[in-house]
Amino acid sequence: ASLQVSAGHLTIFLMEKSEVFEDIVFISYAREDSTTAERLYMDLRRNEINAWIDSKCILPGENWQHTVTQTIKKSSFFLLLISKHSISKRGYVQREIKQALRALEEFPTDQIFLIPVKLDQTEPIDEELQNLNWVDIGSSYNKGLRRVLTVLSQVKRTPLIYVDPKVTSEKRAPIEFTPYKSTDDFFRQL
């Protein structure tokens, strides 16, 4: 709901915080899948998409539970990395899934918000997730990434900026990610 305030010839519309969506792509994952999650984050950032992942975007000392909840509420998209770890594990990843499913109820049926991204052959348990078309990045990461980028093409681009590690003016971590010990390890994953 919005509130209209008029003062003479000036009219101001105030929106509740829950109505303000930003071009944020939230990435939810189980800790055991952090290598793939961070790789996806970096690839989205290289494509100038404002991806959000806890390991890169939560500042030291910040109330992480509050930050995660608020970020999910204002995100335009929610990427849920589905694996045997995220589906069967108890913990915060389950809370994120439930928050995303509640947020999904507020979106029109024909609008995409929650994108299930399968890392292995695990099937989602929740009926709401079973009804959504998923992306498989487990069998071909690059093919799956292209499918995700197709959906995210409507998101406003956020150009990459250099972040001086000595100056903490941004909540965005610089792009630096090396999940593989060598180039050979990287090519074995493709």
Side-chain angles (χ1 to χ4, degrees):
S2 62
L3 173 66
Q4 180 178 341
V5 179
S6 296
H9 66 282
L10 179 64
T11 302
I12 301 172
F13 290 93
L14 303 173
M15 296 178 73
E16 291 180 22
K17 269 192 165 183
S18 63
E19 292 182 4
V20 179
F21 295 101
E22 298 178 19
D23 283 323
I24 296 172
V25 177
F26 188 97
I27 301 172
S28 178
Y29 64 100
R31 288 283 170 242
E32 295 83 354
D33 301 321
S34 63
T35 300
T36 304
E38 289 190 16
R39 180 181 178 192
L40 180 60
Y41 168 81
M42 291 300 169
D43 286 335
L44 293 177
R45 289 301 301 139
R46 281 187 192 95
N47 282 278
E48 298 186 344
I49 292 173
N50 190 15
W52 192 98
I53 191 170
D54 60 349
S55 62
K56 300 285 184 192
C57 300
I58 296 178
L59 297 173
E62 193 169 13
N63 180 331
W64 64 270
Q65 290 182 339
H66 175 75
T67 301
V68 166
T69 300
Q70 293 307 308
T71 305
I72 291 171
K73 286 181 182 178
K74 63 185 179 180
S75 293
S76 298
F77 293 95
F78 185 97
L79 298 181
L80 172 59
L81 303 191
I82 296 176
S83 71
K84 62 183 176 194
H85 305 293
S86 64
I87 295 301
S88 62
K89 180 179 178 176
R90 288 179 61 168
Y92 208 78
V93 70
Q94 295 300 326
R95 188 178 297 180
E96 289 177 0
I97 293 169
K98 287 173 180 37
Q99 287 176 337
L101 290 172
R102 280 194 301 275
L104 181 63
E105 292 174 356
E106 297 179 13
F107 282 82
T109 305
D110 62 346
Q111 188 174 345
I112 298 172
F113 167 67
L114 198 160
I115 303 171
V117 179
K118 291 178 71 171
L119 305 184
D120 56 29
Q121 297 307 310
T122 304
E123 293 295 325
I125 298 168
D126 297 286
E127 185 178 337
E128 299 94 329
L129 291 175
Q130 292 172 358
N131 292 332
L132 299 175
N133 195 19
W134 44 266
V135 174
D136 180 7
I137 66 170
S139 58
S140 174
Y141 179 85
N142 290 330
K143 195 183 225 181
L145 176 63
R146 282 193 298 276
R147 289 195 67 209
V148 169
L149 290 172
T150 301
V151 174
L152 301 181
S153 64
Q154 60 192 342
V155 174
K156 185 180 130 224
R157 298 296 190 221
T158 305
L160 296 174
I161 56 171
Y162 171 73
V163 178
D164 186 341
K166 297 175 192 124
V167 181
T168 57
S169 62
E170 290 285 325
K171 282 189 156 189
R172 173 99 29 239
I175 290 185
E176 54 179 337
F177 179 61
T178 52
Y180 305 101
K181 294 178 180 145
S182 69
T183 307
D184 291 338
D185 284 349
F186 171 75
F187 285 113
R188 275 189 225 118
Q189 296 294 319
L190 296 179

